[in-house]
Amino acid sequence: MKKIGLGGGCHWCTEAVFQSLRGVEKVEQGFVASTEKNATFSEAVIVHFDATSITLKDLIEIHLHTHESTSNHSMRQKYRSAVYTFSDGQRAKAQEILKRLQPDFERPLITEVLPFVTFRPSDEQFTDYYYKNPQKPFCQNYIQPKLQFLLERFSNAIDGEKIRLSNPIDSIIKY
């Protein structure tokens, strides 16, 4: 089992996206800190995955497309766009993946590859947020569209046993 940290937007959204993928065994939602100017905590998830079922490239590509990876908006301190790595080898691979994926975007990616330093989990009441609360307005307005996008753009990475959209009509999609 491998793991990678991903941050960029609300960790409730990021958690639901990665919980829905094949090969992802566990998603820890919370706050990650790195080093130097990135030593403050920022919302993120740690994704534990089986690299024989889903690649690091797939995870990073999905991450870049499911948050504002080209926007350096005013909330970046809270929502740092980052890939948090657990080794030098993983860092080099993540940097190479970002370079290879840049042509898929009109604007430059702002996502940084940073060393993972520490993690603080979210309170239990906020974990598995979407799947516990699919009818809440936040889930309907922000998370549901990301899951719909996953079904449309990355259907080959979806685990049909995991993904559950709160609108039954949306679930009638061929994958």
Side-chain angles (χ1 to χ4, degrees), residues 6-173:
L6 301 166
C10 168
H11 52 201
W12 296 349
C13 297
T14 309
E15 176 190 55
V17 165
F18 290 98
Q19 283 177 327
S20 303
L21 302 177
R22 68 175 162 67
V24 172
E25 300 298 322
K26 180 170 119 178
V27 180
E28 296 178 83
Q29 179 208 110
F31 304 86
V32 172
S34 185
T35 59
E36 299 168 11
K37 68 177 182 148
N38 298 303
T40 59
F41 282 100
S42 183
E43 292 192 22
V45 297
I46 299 173
V47 177
H48 300 257
F49 65 101
D50 175 359
T52 63
S53 297
I54 191 163
T55 66
L56 183 60
K57 179 202 173 278
D58 290 338
L59 292 170
I60 292 173
E61 182 176 14
I62 289 167
H63 179 56
L64 295 175
H65 285 284
T66 55
H67 82 283
E68 294 183 26
S69 58
T70 61
S71 174
N72 200 8
H73 55 73
S74 64
M75 296 296 289
R76 276 293 168 221
Q77 186 67 15
K78 181 178 180 180
Y79 304 121
R80 185 180 302 127
S81 182
V83 175
Y84 298 98
T85 59
F86 291 85
S87 70
D88 290 340
Q90 191 180 51
R91 182 177 66 236
K93 189 170 184 178
Q95 289 169 330
E96 178 59 32
I97 291 167
L98 285 177
K99 285 180 193 171
R100 286 196 334 243
L101 292 173
Q102 177 59 65
D104 293 348
F105 297 86
E106 291 180 18
R107 298 186 340 215
L109 291 167
I110 63 153
T111 306
E112 296 180 85
V113 177
L114 302 170
F116 174 88
V117 172
T118 189
F119 177 74
R120 186 179 76 216
S122 295
D123 291 339
E124 181 61 33
Q125 67 182 342
F126 298 117
T127 60
D128 199 24
Y129 190 78
Y130 175 78
Y131 287 114
K132 289 179 184 172
N133 306 285
Q135 297 301 329
K136 287 202 174 193
F138 182 88
C139 294
Q140 291 287 307
N141 293 328
Y142 295 100
I143 302 174
Q144 181 88 20
K146 290 177 189 276
L147 296 180
Q148 189 66 47
F149 173 79
L150 271 182
L151 286 168
E152 293 166 7
R153 173 84 189 257
F154 296 102
S155 61
N156 62 330
I158 297 297
D159 184 328
E161 299 296 315
K162 292 180 185 176
I163 195 166
R164 296 184 315 269
L165 298 176
S166 62
N167 182 343
I169 293 172
D170 292 334
S171 297
I172 307 171
I173 294 175

